[in-house]
Amino acid sequence: MTISRQNFEDLGMPVGPYTHAVRHENTIFTSGFTAFGTQAQAASAEEQTHATLSQLSFLAGQYGKTLSDLVKVTVFVTDPSDIPGIRHAPTEAYGKNVPASSLVMVAGLFSPDLRVEMEAIFGL
């Protein structure tokens, strides 16, 4: 049972005790990603979701995969009025390859301007 942990400079190196991605056999588990540090950081939840999906797409590409290889996503949202925009962005990104998904309301994220966070599981 091989477990490998990997960080990617292009995603900004972690400043806390976490790893961008952990590969266990034929599965990649990601940490939570947000628009923090991107141009979308203070933008709408939909724009933040696009930025976050772009990061997940980059990460998948490092393993030779795409968003079509998503098995499961968990989306954390701070404001229920943002849900339509948060749903719109993945609809475009996933196409017909919709993963299993959970949507969780939270009181807040680590930075007050963040409205959405996503973590993902990819199959290899």
Side-chain angles (χ1 to χ4, degrees), residues 3-121:
I3 296 174
S4 63
R5 294 165 175 83
Q6 191 164 7
N7 291 310
F8 302 95
E9 285 189 41
D10 289 354
L11 297 175
M13 296 307 286
V15 294
Y18 70 92
T19 302
H20 287 141
V22 175
R23 180 177 179 173
H24 176 258
E25 297 180 2
N26 294 324
T27 307
I28 299 167
F29 302 87
T30 76
S31 289
F33 282 87
T34 68
F36 188 78
T38 72
Q39 292 181 346
Q41 180 173 335
S44 71
E46 183 172 353
E47 291 173 90
Q48 288 188 19
T49 304
H50 280 292
T52 303
L53 286 167
S54 177
Q55 292 175 64
L56 291 174
S57 179
F58 170 84
L59 188 146
Q62 299 306 297
Y63 294 93
K65 298 298 175 179
T66 68
L67 293 180
S68 67
D69 297 297
L70 276 169
V71 174
K72 170 82 167 62
V73 295
T74 303
V75 182
F76 302 92
V77 58
T78 61
D79 185 340
S81 69
D82 289 334
I83 292 173
I86 291 169
R87 286 185 174 154
H88 185 256
T91 299
E92 295 172 353
Y94 300 155
K96 294 180 181 182
N97 299 303
V98 180
S101 180
S102 297
L103 179 65
V104 181
M105 292 296 304
V106 295
L109 297 170
F110 70 92
S111 179
D113 51 356
L114 294 175
R115 306 176 72 80
V116 63
E117 180 169 343
M118 296 178 78
E119 59 183 29
I121 301 171

